[in-house]
Amino acid sequence: MEGTLVKGAVYSLIIGLLLGILIYPDTETINNGKGFFEYRVIPLREYIFTVLRFAVTVMFITLIALWVKLEWKSGSEIMEFIAGFFKSFFIVLAIILIVVIVSMFIFNR
């Protein structure tokens, strides 16, 4: 399990860095009005921290997804608790929505 999580973290960090470089531009276009545009080059330090922040976010999301997947396969008590929590949450949400919809029809006549 640990090996899978470590591999997932390393690979997702690398993929997050590459995606961050593709997604975030290193220049900024500012419209000054009257048809004039100003181009500003983002400082390297700011750009690197933006890309790193994106890559680390991707890594943590991947780690959480992998951990949930591995725990779900093993059938641990934590996953049973989480599954029960979500079931009860959606049941209560459905009841609340039904009550709100019915009350809208009753009181909006």
Side-chain angles (χ1 to χ4, degrees), residues 6-93:
V6 170
K7 283 182 182 178
V10 170
Y11 292 149
S12 65
L13 182 67
I14 293 170
I15 290 171
L17 284 171
L18 295 175
L19 283 175
I21 291 171
L22 288 175
I23 292 173
Y24 291 105
D26 58 348
T27 59
E28 197 174 46
T29 305
I30 302 168
N31 186 356
N32 290 335
K34 300 181 184 176
F36 295 107
F37 292 96
E38 178 181 342
Y39 297 102
R40 181 180 82 92
V41 176
I42 297 174
L44 184 61
R45 180 181 173 138
E46 183 180 337
Y47 181 72
I48 288 175
F49 280 124
T50 304
V51 171
L52 275 176
R53 189 177 305 122
F54 176 77
V56 169
T57 304
V58 168
M59 182 190 70
F60 278 123
I61 290 171
T62 304
L63 278 177
I64 291 170
L66 277 174
W67 179 77
V68 167
K69 178 184 171 194
L70 293 173
E71 286 293 321
W72 192 271
K73 278 185 171 179
S74 67
S76 68
E77 294 179 13
I78 295 172
M79 286 296 118
E80 291 177 17
F81 172 75
I82 291 173
F85 174 79
F86 279 115
K87 285 178 189 175
S88 62
F89 173 77
F90 286 118
I91 290 170
V92 170
L93 179 66

